[in-house]
Amino acid sequence: MKKSILQPLFLMMTLFLVVSTYAQSGASKKTSKNARQIEKLTKQMDKEQKKLKGYEADLEQERKALASANNDASGAANRARKFSRKMDRNPGNERLARKAEKAVDKTARNNEKSVKLTRKLNATQSNISKSNRRIADLQKKLDKLNAEG
Protein backbone atom coordinates (compact mmCIF):
# COMPACT_ATOMS: atom_id res chain seq x y z
CA MET A 1 0.00 0.00 0.00
CA LYS A 2 2.85 2.36 0.63
CA LYS A 3 3.99 1.97 -2.97
CA SER A 4 0.70 3.12 -4.36
CA ILE A 5 0.66 6.29 -2.24
CA LEU A 6 4.26 7.16 -3.05
CA GLN A 7 3.94 6.69 -6.79
CA PRO A 8 1.33 9.44 -7.35
CA LEU A 9 3.21 11.66 -4.93
CA PHE A 10 6.45 11.03 -6.79
CA LEU A 11 4.71 11.61 -10.08
CA MET A 12 3.27 14.91 -8.85
CA MET A 13 6.67 16.06 -7.57
CA THR A 14 8.29 15.18 -10.89
CA LEU A 15 5.57 16.98 -12.80
CA PHE A 16 5.95 20.02 -10.53
CA LEU A 17 9.72 20.10 -11.13
CA VAL A 18 9.27 19.78 -14.89
CA VAL A 19 6.68 22.56 -15.01
CA SER A 20 8.70 24.89 -12.77
CA THR A 21 11.88 24.22 -14.77
CA TYR A 22 10.03 24.92 -18.00
CA ALA A 23 8.61 28.16 -16.60
CA GLN A 24 12.04 29.22 -15.40
CA SER A 25 13.65 28.39 -18.74
CA GLY A 26 11.06 30.58 -20.49
CA ALA A 27 11.83 33.43 -18.13
CA SER A 28 15.56 32.96 -18.56
CA LYS A 29 15.16 32.86 -22.34
CA LYS A 30 13.32 36.17 -22.18
CA THR A 31 15.98 37.61 -19.90
CA SER A 32 18.82 36.46 -22.16
CA LYS A 33 16.99 37.82 -25.20
CA ASN A 34 16.63 41.20 -23.47
CA ALA A 35 20.30 41.10 -22.51
CA ARG A 36 21.28 40.46 -26.13
CA GLN A 37 19.04 43.29 -27.32
CA ILE A 38 20.45 45.64 -24.69
CA GLU A 39 23.99 44.74 -25.74
CA LYS A 40 23.15 45.27 -29.41
CA LEU A 41 21.50 48.64 -28.75
CA THR A 42 24.38 49.73 -26.54
CA LYS A 43 26.86 48.95 -29.32
CA GLN A 44 24.73 50.88 -31.81
CA MET A 45 24.55 53.83 -29.43
CA ASP A 46 28.33 53.82 -28.92
CA LYS A 47 28.82 53.79 -32.69
CA GLU A 48 26.35 56.62 -33.16
CA GLN A 49 27.99 58.69 -30.41
CA LYS A 50 31.38 58.26 -32.09
CA LYS A 51 29.86 59.44 -35.37
CA LEU A 52 28.34 62.41 -33.57
CA LYS A 53 31.71 63.40 -32.10
CA GLY A 54 33.24 63.20 -35.58
CA TYR A 55 30.47 65.35 -37.03
CA GLU A 56 30.92 67.92 -34.27
CA ALA A 57 34.68 68.06 -34.92
CA ASP A 58 33.99 68.45 -38.66
CA LEU A 59 31.47 71.19 -37.93
CA GLU A 60 34.04 73.24 -36.01
CA GLN A 61 36.60 72.92 -38.83
CA GLU A 62 33.98 73.78 -41.44
CA ARG A 63 32.94 76.89 -39.51
CA LYS A 64 36.55 78.07 -39.41
CA ALA A 65 37.02 77.34 -43.12
CA LEU A 66 33.80 79.17 -43.97
CA ALA A 67 34.78 82.19 -41.90
CA SER A 68 38.14 82.28 -43.67
CA ALA A 69 36.53 81.90 -47.11
CA ASN A 70 34.01 84.65 -46.34
CA ASN A 71 36.84 86.90 -45.20
CA ASP A 72 38.77 86.16 -48.41
CA ALA A 73 35.67 86.84 -50.52
CA SER A 74 35.09 90.12 -48.74
CA GLY A 75 38.70 91.17 -49.29
CA ALA A 76 38.56 90.23 -52.97
CA ALA A 77 35.29 92.13 -53.39
CA ASN A 78 36.84 95.22 -51.80
CA ARG A 79 39.84 94.90 -54.11
CA ALA A 80 37.56 94.59 -57.16
CA ARG A 81 35.56 97.62 -55.98
CA LYS A 82 38.80 99.60 -55.60
CA PHE A 83 39.88 98.76 -59.16
CA SER A 84 36.42 99.56 -60.43
CA ARG A 85 36.63 103.06 -58.94
CA LYS A 86 40.08 103.55 -60.44
CA MET A 87 38.75 102.44 -63.82
CA ASP A 88 35.99 105.03 -63.56
CA ARG A 89 38.65 107.72 -63.25
CA ASN A 90 40.93 106.14 -65.89
CA PRO A 91 38.72 104.35 -68.47
CA GLY A 92 41.46 103.67 -71.04
CA ASN A 93 44.03 102.10 -68.70
CA GLU A 94 44.48 98.48 -69.85
CA ARG A 95 46.64 97.55 -66.89
CA LEU A 96 43.90 98.59 -64.48
CA ALA A 97 41.34 96.72 -66.60
CA ARG A 98 43.35 93.47 -66.31
CA LYS A 99 43.75 93.93 -62.55
CA ALA A 100 40.05 94.66 -62.18
CA GLU A 101 39.17 91.56 -64.21
CA LYS A 102 41.45 89.39 -62.10
CA ALA A 103 39.97 90.83 -58.93
CA VAL A 104 36.43 90.11 -60.17
CA ASP A 105 37.42 86.54 -61.08
CA LYS A 106 38.97 86.02 -57.67
CA THR A 107 35.82 87.39 -56.03
CA ALA A 108 33.70 84.93 -58.01
CA ARG A 109 35.95 81.98 -57.07
CA ASN A 110 35.89 82.97 -53.40
CA ASN A 111 32.12 83.30 -53.48
CA GLU A 112 31.79 79.84 -55.06
CA LYS A 113 34.05 78.46 -52.36
CA SER A 114 31.91 80.10 -49.68
CA VAL A 115 28.73 78.63 -51.17
CA LYS A 116 30.31 75.17 -51.33
CA LEU A 117 31.49 75.39 -47.72
CA THR A 118 28.06 76.63 -46.62
CA ARG A 119 26.43 73.58 -48.23
CA LYS A 120 28.95 71.30 -46.55
CA LEU A 121 28.33 72.98 -43.19
CA ASN A 122 24.55 72.59 -43.62
CA ALA A 123 24.98 68.89 -44.48
CA THR A 124 27.09 68.35 -41.37
CA GLN A 125 24.50 70.12 -39.22
CA SER A 126 21.84 67.87 -40.74
CA ASN A 127 23.95 64.79 -39.94
CA ILE A 128 24.30 66.00 -36.35
CA SER A 129 20.53 66.40 -36.05
CA LYS A 130 19.92 62.91 -37.48
CA SER A 131 22.53 61.41 -35.20
CA ASN A 132 21.00 63.09 -32.15
CA ARG A 133 17.57 61.71 -33.12
CA ARG A 134 19.00 58.19 -33.55
CA ILE A 135 20.70 58.38 -30.16
CA ALA A 136 17.45 59.52 -28.53
CA ASP A 137 15.54 56.66 -30.18
CA LEU A 138 18.14 54.12 -29.07
CA GLN A 139 18.03 55.51 -25.55
CA LYS A 140 14.23 55.13 -25.45
CA LYS A 141 14.52 51.52 -26.58
CA LEU A 142 17.21 50.83 -23.99
CA ASP A 143 15.14 52.42 -21.23
CA LYS A 144 12.15 50.28 -22.24
CA LEU A 145 14.21 47.07 -22.22
CA ASN A 146 15.80 47.95 -18.88
CA ALA A 147 12.35 48.62 -17.40
CA GLU A 148 11.16 45.20 -18.57
CA GLY A 149 14.12 43.74 -16.70
Side-chain angles (χ1 to χ4, degrees):
M1 189 132 189
K2 280 189 175 181
K3 271 189 171 181
S4 64
I5 293 174
L6 289 178
Q7 283 179 342
L9 186 59
F10 180 72
L11 185 61
M12 287 179 67
M13 292 288 284
T14 306
L15 185 60
F16 175 73
L17 287 173
V18 168
V19 170
S20 65
T21 303
Y22 180 75
Q24 288 175 356
S25 70
S28 68
K29 283 181 184 178
K30 186 176 180 180
T31 304
S32 65
K33 183 179 178 183
N34 280 356
R36 284 193 306 270
Q37 287 179 330
I38 288 172
E39 183 180 348
K40 180 181 174 183
L41 291 174
T42 302
K43 285 181 182 180
Q44 287 177 347
M45 185 177 290
D46 289 343
K47 234 186 242 187
E48 200 61 45
Q49 287 173 338
K50 286 180 184 177
K51 280 184 188 179
L52 180 61
K53 286 182 183 179
Y55 291 145
E56 288 171 346
D58 291 346
L59 183 68
E60 189 59 35
Q61 290 176 350
E62 290 167 6
R63 282 184 177 153
K64 288 178 183 177
L66 180 60
S68 175
N70 285 338
N71 192 26
D72 291 346
S74 176
N78 288 337
R79 186 173 165 91
R81 194 175 309 118
K82 180 179 101 177
F83 283 120
S84 176
R85 279 191 233 120
K86 285 184 180 181
M87 291 267 310
D88 284 345
R89 286 180 264 144
N90 249 338
N93 192 335
E94 289 183 25
R95 183 172 164 248
L96 276 177
R98 282 192 307 270
K99 285 185 176 186
E101 188 177 337
K102 284 182 182 181
V104 168
D105 288 343
K106 187 170 183 172
T107 301
R109 282 193 308 272
N110 286 338
N111 284 335
E112 288 173 11
K113 185 177 178 181
S114 291
V115 168
K116 182 180 175 182
L117 288 171
T118 300
R119 284 189 194 127
K120 191 174 180 181
L121 184 103
N122 290 339
T124 301
Q125 288 174 331
S126 174
N127 287 337
I128 287 173
S129 296
K130 289 177 187 176
S131 191
N132 280 328
R133 280 193 304 273
R134 283 188 211 120
I135 288 171
D137 290 343
L138 289 171
Q139 187 61 49
K140 284 180 188 176
K141 290 177 184 177
L142 276 171
D143 291 343
K144 183 179 176 184
L145 285 173
N146 284 328
E148 289 177 3

PDB file of all heavy atoms in Angstrom, residues 7-8 11 18 21-22 37-38 40 42-43 51 62 66 72 75 78 81 84 90 94 97-99 105 108 133 144 147:
ATOM      1  N   GLN A   7       3.843   6.519  -5.349  1.00  0.00           N
ATOM      2  CA  GLN A   7       3.944   6.689  -6.792  1.00  0.00           C
ATOM      3  C   GLN A   7       3.220   7.954  -7.272  1.00  0.00           C
ATOM      4  O   GLN A   7       3.794   8.748  -8.015  1.00  0.00           O
ATOM      5  CB  GLN A   7       3.408   5.453  -7.512  1.00  0.00           C
ATOM      6  CG  GLN A   7       4.383   4.308  -7.485  1.00  0.00           C
ATOM      7  CD  GLN A   7       3.828   3.089  -8.179  1.00  0.00           C
ATOM      8  OE1 GLN A   7       2.623   2.971  -8.401  1.00  0.00           O
ATOM      9  NE2 GLN A   7       4.703   2.166  -8.502  1.00  0.00           N
ATOM     10  N   PRO A   8       1.971   8.198  -6.897  1.00  0.00           N
ATOM     11  CA  PRO A   8       1.335   9.442  -7.351  1.00  0.00           C
ATOM     12  C   PRO A   8       2.026  10.672  -6.777  1.00  0.00           C
ATOM     13  O   PRO A   8       2.149  11.701  -7.447  1.00  0.00           O
ATOM     14  CB  PRO A   8      -0.095   9.336  -6.843  1.00  0.00           C
ATOM     15  CG  PRO A   8      -0.330   7.906  -6.536  1.00  0.00           C
ATOM     16  CD  PRO A   8       1.009   7.307  -6.247  1.00  0.00           C
ATOM     17  N   LEU A  11       5.106  11.130  -8.768  1.00  0.00           N
ATOM     18  CA  LEU A  11       4.712  11.612 -10.082  1.00  0.00           C
ATOM     19  C   LEU A  11       4.347  13.096 -10.032  1.00  0.00           C
ATOM     20  O   LEU A  11       4.730  13.877 -10.904  1.00  0.00           O
ATOM     21  CB  LEU A  11       3.523  10.783 -10.598  1.00  0.00           C
ATOM     22  CG  LEU A  11       3.059  11.089 -12.003  1.00  0.00           C
ATOM     23  CD1 LEU A  11       4.170  10.841 -13.006  1.00  0.00           C
ATOM     24  CD2 LEU A  11       1.865  10.228 -12.345  1.00  0.00           C
ATOM     25  N   VAL A  18       9.216  19.571 -13.441  1.00  0.00           N
ATOM     26  CA  VAL A  18       9.274  19.780 -14.889  1.00  0.00           C
ATOM     27  C   VAL A  18       8.594  21.104 -15.256  1.00  0.00           C
ATOM     28  O   VAL A  18       9.125  21.901 -16.019  1.00  0.00           O
ATOM     29  CB  VAL A  18       8.636  18.590 -15.639  1.00  0.00           C
ATOM     30  CG1 VAL A  18       8.427  18.913 -17.110  1.00  0.00           C
ATOM     31  CG2 VAL A  18       9.495  17.353 -15.493  1.00  0.00           C
ATOM     32  N   THR A  21      10.660  24.080 -13.964  1.00  0.00           N
ATOM     33  CA  THR A  21      11.881  24.222 -14.770  1.00  0.00           C
ATOM     34  C   THR A  21      11.539  24.836 -16.121  1.00  0.00           C
ATOM     35  O   THR A  21      12.242  25.719 -16.612  1.00  0.00           O
ATOM     36  CB  THR A  21      12.567  22.850 -14.961  1.00  0.00           C
ATOM     37  OG1 THR A  21      12.832  22.290 -13.698  1.00  0.00           O
ATOM     38  CG2 THR A  21      13.842  22.984 -15.754  1.00  0.00           C
ATOM     39  N   TYR A  22      10.450  24.378 -16.715  1.00  0.00           N
ATOM     40  CA  TYR A  22      10.027  24.921 -17.999  1.00  0.00           C
ATOM     41  C   TYR A  22       9.679  26.403 -17.869  1.00  0.00           C
ATOM     42  O   TYR A  22      10.061  27.218 -18.707  1.00  0.00           O
ATOM     43  CB  TYR A  22       8.819  24.140 -18.528  1.00  0.00           C
ATOM     44  CG  TYR A  22       8.325  24.641 -19.852  1.00  0.00           C
ATOM     45  CD1 TYR A  22       9.014  24.368 -21.036  1.00  0.00           C
ATOM     46  CD2 TYR A  22       7.165  25.411 -19.938  1.00  0.00           C
ATOM     47  CE1 TYR A  22       8.558  24.834 -22.250  1.00  0.00           C
ATOM     48  CE2 TYR A  22       6.708  25.889 -21.152  1.00  0.00           C
ATOM     49  CZ  TYR A  22       7.401  25.596 -22.304  1.00  0.00           C
ATOM     50  OH  TYR A  22       6.963  26.071 -23.503  1.00  0.00           O
ATOM     51  N   GLN A  37      19.547  42.064 -26.701  1.00  0.00           N
ATOM     52  CA  GLN A  37      19.040  43.292 -27.318  1.00  0.00           C
ATOM     53  C   GLN A  37      19.676  44.531 -26.693  1.00  0.00           C
ATOM     54  O   GLN A  37      20.027  45.473 -27.397  1.00  0.00           O
ATOM     55  CB  GLN A  37      17.518  43.367 -27.187  1.00  0.00           C
ATOM     56  CG  GLN A  37      16.789  42.413 -28.097  1.00  0.00           C
ATOM     57  CD  GLN A  37      15.280  42.486 -27.932  1.00  0.00           C
ATOM     58  OE1 GLN A  37      14.790  42.799 -26.852  1.00  0.00           O
ATOM     59  NE2 GLN A  37      14.550  42.198 -28.999  1.00  0.00           N
ATOM     60  N   ILE A  38      19.813  44.509 -25.382  1.00  0.00           N
ATOM     61  CA  ILE A  38      20.448  45.643 -24.692  1.00  0.00           C
ATOM     62  C   ILE A  38      21.888  45.799 -25.162  1.00  0.00           C
ATOM     63  O   ILE A  38      22.348  46.909 -25.434  1.00  0.00           O
ATOM     64  CB  ILE A  38      20.370  45.454 -23.159  1.00  0.00           C
ATOM     65  CG1 ILE A  38      18.932  45.664 -22.681  1.00  0.00           C
ATOM     66  CG2 ILE A  38      21.319  46.412 -22.445  1.00  0.00           C
ATOM     67  CD1 ILE A  38      18.693  45.308 -21.228  1.00  0.00           C
ATOM     68  N   LYS A  40      23.177  44.819 -28.019  1.00  0.00           N
ATOM     69  CA  LYS A  40      23.154  45.273 -29.412  1.00  0.00           C
ATOM     70  C   LYS A  40      22.864  46.774 -29.487  1.00  0.00           C
ATOM     71  O   LYS A  40      23.554  47.518 -30.193  1.00  0.00           O
ATOM     72  CB  LYS A  40      22.089  44.499 -30.184  1.00  0.00           C
ATOM     73  CG  LYS A  40      21.967  44.874 -31.636  1.00  0.00           C
ATOM     74  CD  LYS A  40      20.859  44.075 -32.311  1.00  0.00           C
ATOM     75  CE  LYS A  40      20.633  44.548 -33.731  1.00  0.00           C
ATOM     76  NZ  LYS A  40      19.524  43.841 -34.361  1.00  0.00           N
ATOM     77  N   THR A  42      23.275  48.988 -27.151  1.00  0.00           N
ATOM     78  CA  THR A  42      24.382  49.728 -26.542  1.00  0.00           C
ATOM     79  C   THR A  42      25.522  49.905 -27.543  1.00  0.00           C
ATOM     80  O   THR A  42      26.102  50.989 -27.653  1.00  0.00           O
ATOM     81  CB  THR A  42      24.881  49.004 -25.279  1.00  0.00           C
ATOM     82  OG1 THR A  42      23.785  48.862 -24.374  1.00  0.00           O
ATOM     83  CG2 THR A  42      25.990  49.777 -24.605  1.00  0.00           C
ATOM     84  N   LYS A  43      25.813  48.855 -28.295  1.00  0.00           N
ATOM     85  CA  LYS A  43      26.861  48.952 -29.323  1.00  0.00           C
ATOM     86  C   LYS A  43      26.468  49.960 -30.395  1.00  0.00           C
ATOM     87  O   LYS A  43      27.298  50.756 -30.843  1.00  0.00           O
ATOM     88  CB  LYS A  43      27.117  47.583 -29.961  1.00  0.00           C
ATOM     89  CG  LYS A  43      27.902  46.645 -29.088  1.00  0.00           C
ATOM     90  CD  LYS A  43      28.146  45.320 -29.780  1.00  0.00           C
ATOM     91  CE  LYS A  43      28.887  44.362 -28.875  1.00  0.00           C
ATOM     92  NZ  LYS A  43      29.127  43.059 -29.532  1.00  0.00           N
ATOM     93  N   LYS A  51      30.165  58.680 -34.157  1.00  0.00           N
ATOM     94  CA  LYS A  51      29.862  59.436 -35.374  1.00  0.00           C
ATOM     95  C   LYS A  51      29.545  60.887 -35.028  1.00  0.00           C
ATOM     96  O   LYS A  51      30.010  61.811 -35.694  1.00  0.00           O
ATOM     97  CB  LYS A  51      28.650  58.842 -36.096  1.00  0.00           C
ATOM     98  CG  LYS A  51      28.904  57.645 -36.929  1.00  0.00           C
ATOM     99  CD  LYS A  51      27.602  57.286 -37.640  1.00  0.00           C
ATOM    100  CE  LYS A  51      27.676  55.982 -38.361  1.00  0.00           C
ATOM    101  NZ  LYS A  51      26.386  55.656 -39.022  1.00  0.00           N
ATOM    102  N   GLU A  62      34.707  73.175 -40.331  1.00  0.00           N
ATOM    103  CA  GLU A  62      33.980  73.780 -41.441  1.00  0.00           C
ATOM    104  C   GLU A  62      33.592  75.224 -41.132  1.00  0.00           C
ATOM    105  O   GLU A  62      33.614  76.079 -42.020  1.00  0.00           O
ATOM    106  CB  GLU A  62      32.744  72.951 -41.780  1.00  0.00           C
ATOM    107  CG  GLU A  62      33.099  71.621 -42.409  1.00  0.00           C
ATOM    108  CD  GLU A  62      31.943  70.643 -42.476  1.00  0.00           C
ATOM    109  OE1 GLU A  62      30.806  71.023 -42.129  1.00  0.00           O
ATOM    110  OE2 GLU A  62      32.186  69.491 -42.864  1.00  0.00           O
ATOM    111  N   LEU A  66      34.788  78.259 -43.392  1.00  0.00           N
ATOM    112  CA  LEU A  66      33.796  79.166 -43.973  1.00  0.00           C
ATOM    113  C   LEU A  66      34.084  80.612 -43.586  1.00  0.00           C
ATOM    114  O   LEU A  66      33.994  81.515 -44.420  1.00  0.00           O
ATOM    115  CB  LEU A  66      32.382  78.770 -43.535  1.00  0.00           C
ATOM    116  CG  LEU A  66      31.248  79.637 -44.076  1.00  0.00           C
ATOM    117  CD1 LEU A  66      31.222  79.597 -45.608  1.00  0.00           C
ATOM    118  CD2 LEU A  66      29.918  79.174 -43.512  1.00  0.00           C
ATOM    119  N   ASP A  72      38.062  86.038 -47.129  1.00  0.00           N
ATOM    120  CA  ASP A  72      38.775  86.161 -48.405  1.00  0.00           C
ATOM    121  C   ASP A  72      37.868  86.759 -49.479  1.00  0.00           C
ATOM    122  O   ASP A  72      38.299  87.614 -50.267  1.00  0.00           O
ATOM    123  CB  ASP A  72      39.281  84.789 -48.873  1.00  0.00           C
ATOM    124  CG  ASP A  72      40.399  84.240 -48.001  1.00  0.00           C
ATOM    125  OD1 ASP A  72      40.967  85.009 -47.196  1.00  0.00           O
ATOM    126  OD2 ASP A  72      40.694  83.028 -48.118  1.00  0.00           O
ATOM    127  N   GLY A  75      37.484  90.450 -48.884  1.00  0.00           N
ATOM    128  CA  GLY A  75      38.700  91.168 -49.293  1.00  0.00           C
ATOM    129  C   GLY A  75      38.812  91.279 -50.797  1.00  0.00           C
ATOM    130  O   GLY A  75      39.164  92.354 -51.334  1.00  0.00           O
ATOM    131  N   ASN A  78      36.339  93.852 -52.050  1.00  0.00           N
ATOM    132  CA  ASN A  78      36.837  95.217 -51.796  1.00  0.00           C
ATOM    133  C   ASN A  78      37.905  95.597 -52.803  1.00  0.00           C
ATOM    134  O   ASN A  78      37.938  96.736 -53.288  1.00  0.00           O
ATOM    135  CB  ASN A  78      37.387  95.331 -50.374  1.00  0.00           C
ATOM    136  CG  ASN A  78      36.302  95.327 -49.335  1.00  0.00           C
ATOM    137  OD1 ASN A  78      35.155  95.656 -49.623  1.00  0.00           O
ATOM    138  ND2 ASN A  78      36.651  94.935 -48.118  1.00  0.00           N
ATOM    139  N   ARG A  81      36.234  96.320 -56.069  1.00  0.00           N
ATOM    140  CA  ARG A  81      35.557  97.619 -55.975  1.00  0.00           C
ATOM    141  C   ARG A  81      36.573  98.758 -56.138  1.00  0.00           C
ATOM    142  O   ARG A  81      36.315  99.750 -56.814  1.00  0.00           O
ATOM    143  CB  ARG A  81      34.851  97.720 -54.624  1.00  0.00           C
ATOM    144  CG  ARG A  81      33.853  98.840 -54.539  1.00  0.00           C
ATOM    145  CD  ARG A  81      33.059  98.859 -53.241  1.00  0.00           C
ATOM    146  NE  ARG A  81      32.452  97.571 -52.924  1.00  0.00           N
ATOM    147  CZ  ARG A  81      32.738  96.841 -51.833  1.00  0.00           C
ATOM    148  NH1 ARG A  81      33.587  97.281 -50.938  1.00  0.00           N
ATOM    149  NH2 ARG A  81      32.150  95.681 -51.627  1.00  0.00           N
ATOM    150  N   SER A  84      37.551  99.025 -59.683  1.00  0.00           N
ATOM    151  CA  SER A  84      36.417  99.561 -60.435  1.00  0.00           C
ATOM    152  C   SER A  84      36.375 101.086 -60.323  1.00  0.00           C
ATOM    153  O   SER A  84      36.149 101.788 -61.324  1.00  0.00           O
ATOM    154  CB  SER A  84      35.123  98.956 -59.904  1.00  0.00           C
ATOM    155  OG  SER A  84      34.019  99.525 -60.538  1.00  0.00           O
ATOM    156  N   ASN A  90      39.980 106.391 -64.810  1.00  0.00           N
ATOM    157  CA  ASN A  90      40.930 106.140 -65.887  1.00  0.00           C
ATOM    158  C   ASN A  90      40.382 105.081 -66.842  1.00  0.00           C
ATOM    159  O   ASN A  90      40.846 103.951 -66.871  1.00  0.00           O
ATOM    160  CB  ASN A  90      42.238 105.606 -65.289  1.00  0.00           C
ATOM    161  CG  ASN A  90      43.375 106.556 -65.393  1.00  0.00           C
ATOM    162  OD1 ASN A  90      43.362 107.441 -66.226  1.00  0.00           O
ATOM    163  ND2 ASN A  90      44.354 106.364 -64.539  1.00  0.00           N
ATOM    164  N   GLU A  94      44.594  99.935 -69.666  1.00  0.00           N
ATOM    165  CA  GLU A  94      44.476  98.480 -69.849  1.00  0.00           C
ATOM    166  C   GLU A  94      45.029  97.705 -68.659  1.00  0.00           C
ATOM    167  O   GLU A  94      44.517  96.641 -68.300  1.00  0.00           O
ATOM    168  CB  GLU A  94      45.192  98.050 -71.126  1.00  0.00           C
ATOM    169  CG  GLU A  94      44.475  98.486 -72.374  1.00  0.00           C
ATOM    170  CD  GLU A  94      45.163  97.992 -73.627  1.00  0.00           C
ATOM    171  OE1 GLU A  94      45.878  96.969 -73.562  1.00  0.00           O
ATOM    172  OE2 GLU A  94      44.977  98.636 -74.670  1.00  0.00           O
ATOM    173  N   ALA A  97      42.432  97.594 -66.142  1.00  0.00           N
ATOM    174  CA  ALA A  97      41.340  96.725 -66.601  1.00  0.00           C
ATOM    175  C   ALA A  97      41.674  95.259 -66.316  1.00  0.00           C
ATOM    176  O   ALA A  97      40.807  94.491 -65.872  1.00  0.00           O
ATOM    177  CB  ALA A  97      41.087  96.935 -68.083  1.00  0.00           C
ATOM    178  N   ARG A  98      42.930  94.850 -66.584  1.00  0.00           N
ATOM    179  CA  ARG A  98      43.348  93.467 -66.311  1.00  0.00           C
ATOM    180  C   ARG A  98      43.291  93.168 -64.814  1.00  0.00           C
ATOM    181  O   ARG A  98      42.823  92.118 -64.387  1.00  0.00           O
ATOM    182  CB  ARG A  98      44.754  93.214 -66.853  1.00  0.00           C
ATOM    183  CG  ARG A  98      44.800  92.997 -68.343  1.00  0.00           C
ATOM    184  CD  ARG A  98      46.144  92.466 -68.805  1.00  0.00           C
ATOM    185  NE  ARG A  98      47.275  93.270 -68.353  1.00  0.00           N
ATOM    186  CZ  ARG A  98      47.796  94.309 -69.017  1.00  0.00           C
ATOM    187  NH1 ARG A  98      47.290  94.677 -70.183  1.00  0.00           N
ATOM    188  NH2 ARG A  98      48.828  94.977 -68.545  1.00  0.00           N
ATOM    189  N   LYS A  99      43.785  94.115 -64.000  1.00  0.00           N
ATOM    190  CA  LYS A  99      43.753  93.932 -62.546  1.00  0.00           C
ATOM    191  C   LYS A  99      42.313  93.849 -62.037  1.00  0.00           C
ATOM    192  O   LYS A  99      42.003  93.021 -61.172  1.00  0.00           O
ATOM    193  CB  LYS A  99      44.498  95.065 -61.834  1.00  0.00           C
ATOM    194  CG  LYS A  99      45.994  94.949 -61.941  1.00  0.00           C
ATOM    195  CD  LYS A  99      46.659  96.018 -61.116  1.00  0.00           C
ATOM    196  CE  LYS A  99      48.159  95.848 -61.129  1.00  0.00           C
ATOM    197  NZ  LYS A  99      48.823  96.784 -60.215  1.00  0.00           N
ATOM    198  N   ASP A 105      37.343  87.996 -60.995  1.00  0.00           N
ATOM    199  CA  ASP A 105      37.420  86.536 -61.082  1.00  0.00           C
ATOM    200  C   ASP A 105      37.717  85.922 -59.720  1.00  0.00           C
ATOM    201  O   ASP A 105      37.112  84.907 -59.346  1.00  0.00           O
ATOM    202  CB  ASP A 105      38.507  86.108 -62.078  1.00  0.00           C
ATOM    203  CG  ASP A 105      38.117  86.360 -63.529  1.00  0.00           C
ATOM    204  OD1 ASP A 105      36.906  86.556 -63.790  1.00  0.00           O
ATOM    205  OD2 ASP A 105      39.019  86.365 -64.389  1.00  0.00           O
ATOM    206  N   ALA A 108      34.644  85.983 -57.607  1.00  0.00           N
ATOM    207  CA  ALA A 108      33.697  84.934 -58.014  1.00  0.00           C
ATOM    208  C   ALA A 108      34.140  83.564 -57.472  1.00  0.00           C
ATOM    209  O   ALA A 108      33.313  82.794 -56.958  1.00  0.00           O
ATOM    210  CB  ALA A 108      33.572  84.896 -59.533  1.00  0.00           C
ATOM    211  N   ARG A 133      18.866  62.402 -33.131  1.00  0.00           N
ATOM    212  CA  ARG A 133      17.571  61.706 -33.119  1.00  0.00           C
ATOM    213  C   ARG A 133      17.763  60.204 -32.954  1.00  0.00           C
ATOM    214  O   ARG A 133      17.029  59.553 -32.204  1.00  0.00           O
ATOM    215  CB  ARG A 133      16.785  61.997 -34.397  1.00  0.00           C
ATOM    216  CG  ARG A 133      16.082  63.339 -34.382  1.00  0.00           C
ATOM    217  CD  ARG A 133      15.066  63.455 -35.500  1.00  0.00           C
ATOM    218  NE  ARG A 133      15.584  63.225 -36.832  1.00  0.00           N
ATOM    219  CZ  ARG A 133      16.136  64.157 -37.616  1.00  0.00           C
ATOM    220  NH1 ARG A 133      16.238  65.396 -37.189  1.00  0.00           N
ATOM    221  NH2 ARG A 133      16.574  63.854 -38.824  1.00  0.00           N
ATOM    222  N   LYS A 144      13.289  51.209 -22.236  1.00  0.00           N
ATOM    223  CA  LYS A 144      12.151  50.285 -22.237  1.00  0.00           C
ATOM    224  C   LYS A 144      12.598  48.863 -21.883  1.00  0.00           C
ATOM    225  O   LYS A 144      11.972  48.195 -21.067  1.00  0.00           O
ATOM    226  CB  LYS A 144      11.462  50.302 -23.599  1.00  0.00           C
ATOM    227  CG  LYS A 144      10.236  49.440 -23.692  1.00  0.00           C
ATOM    228  CD  LYS A 144       9.607  49.530 -25.057  1.00  0.00           C
ATOM    229  CE  LYS A 144       8.417  48.584 -25.162  1.00  0.00           C
ATOM    230  NZ  LYS A 144       7.851  48.592 -26.515  1.00  0.00           N
ATOM    231  N   ALA A 147      13.540  48.606 -18.260  1.00  0.00           N
ATOM    232  CA  ALA A 147      12.352  48.621 -17.405  1.00  0.00           C
ATOM    233  C   ALA A 147      11.678  47.237 -17.367  1.00  0.00           C
ATOM    234  O   ALA A 147      11.145  46.831 -16.345  1.00  0.00           O
ATOM    235  CB  ALA A 147      11.364  49.667 -17.885  1.00  0.00           C
TER     236      ALA A 147
END
